[in-house]
Amino acid sequence: MMEMKLATEEQLAEIYKRDLAAAFPPAELKPLREMRAELRRGEYRPWCLFEGDEIVGAAFLWTYVPGFCLFDYLCVTSSRRNDGLGSLLIQKLVEAERGNVLFGESEIAAYAPDTAMAERRLGFYRRNGARQACYDTCVFGVPYHTLYWADRTPADEELCAAHQATYRSRFPKLLYNQFIKIPWEPSMGVPKKTPWLEVKEET
């Protein structure tokens, strides 16, 4: 039986090193110590999909703005990919967070190094209930579409404000202005991809 539960700090570290570090490029990967700090402040929810005692997938949320949760990372452990667990993760996450607006970012195919992969990822999210907002973003040099899951339809301005506030909660103004563009459009240009503050978590 599959069950969705919040991970402990120790389990968070395990999943980060086992799965996230292998699945995401440095430009898209938040340092583990930042996740730990947000978890301790009550601003992060690391949901994990358990099969018995084994963690087979993870769906992490950044929860700075009440009523809104940034869909930070979705990952299925490598040994269980192509088993349909990605769809199950989203389904159970939406159930667990019912009443909140879940929103996330999916890389824009035209700017992705692997266009086909970006298109498949966006299609996957759409098949699993995601709706696309009217604005895009560019985070650390990676352009994204904004997607959301919700029982209601939030106003575009409301969603964008929550998106901005979530990132501003983490970054000082100068760094936010340099690395985070919300909203973003192609006429603004695409800056060079930059790993998350050039910081890598110690192993």
Side-chain angles (χ1 to χ4, degrees), residues 133-199:
C134 71
Y135 67 93
D136 297 325
T137 69
C138 189
V139 180
F140 290 96
V142 181
Y144 296 101
H145 291 306
T146 303
L147 309 176
Y148 69 93
W149 293 257
D151 293 330
R152 63 185 180 89
T153 301
D156 295 326
E157 297 80 5
E158 181 188 16
L159 181 58
C160 188
H163 208 156
Q164 292 168 337
T166 299
Y167 277 104
R168 283 178 174 148
S169 74
R170 168 61 186 85
F171 298 103
K173 183 177 180 179
L174 288 176
L175 292 179
Y176 178 94
N177 290 340
Q178 181 178 358
F179 292 111
I180 313 297
K181 307 299 179 186
I182 303 172
W184 171 87
E185 57 185 48
S187 63
M188 298 168 65
V190 182
K192 180 182 177 181
K193 285 188 179 181
T194 305
W196 190 286
L197 292 187
E198 300 283 357
V199 173

Side-chain angles (χ1 to χ4, degrees), residues 119-141:
E119 289 175 343
R120 286 197 297 272
R121 186 178 296 118
L122 181 59
F124 164 78
Y125 287 133
R126 286 173 171 163
R127 289 193 302 275
N128 284 281
R131 289 178 277 175
Q132 187 168 326
C134 71
Y135 67 93
D136 297 325
T137 69
C138 189
V139 180
F140 290 96

Side-chain angles (χ1 to χ4, degrees), residues 1-42:
M1 179 180 177
M2 299 284 186
E3 185 178 6
M4 200 75 155
K5 297 187 290 187
L6 289 170
T8 64
E9 191 169 328
E10 292 74 20
Q11 289 168 332
L12 170 62
E14 174 190 345
I15 294 305
Y16 186 98
K17 294 172 182 177
R18 188 189 74 183
D19 295 331
L20 266 66
F24 292 92
E28 299 178 31
L29 191 58
K30 179 188 301 185
L32 175 58
R33 65 185 179 194
E34 297 300 333
M35 291 184 180
R36 284 170 164 162
E38 290 161 358
L39 180 60
R40 292 166 186 166
R41 292 195 301 267

Side-chain angles (χ1 to χ4, degrees), residues 80-93:
R80 298 298 301 273
R81 288 177 189 159
N82 302 315
D83 283 356
L85 293 184
S87 295
L88 183 61
L89 268 171
I90 293 178
Q91 174 189 329
K92 287 191 171 293
L93 182 68

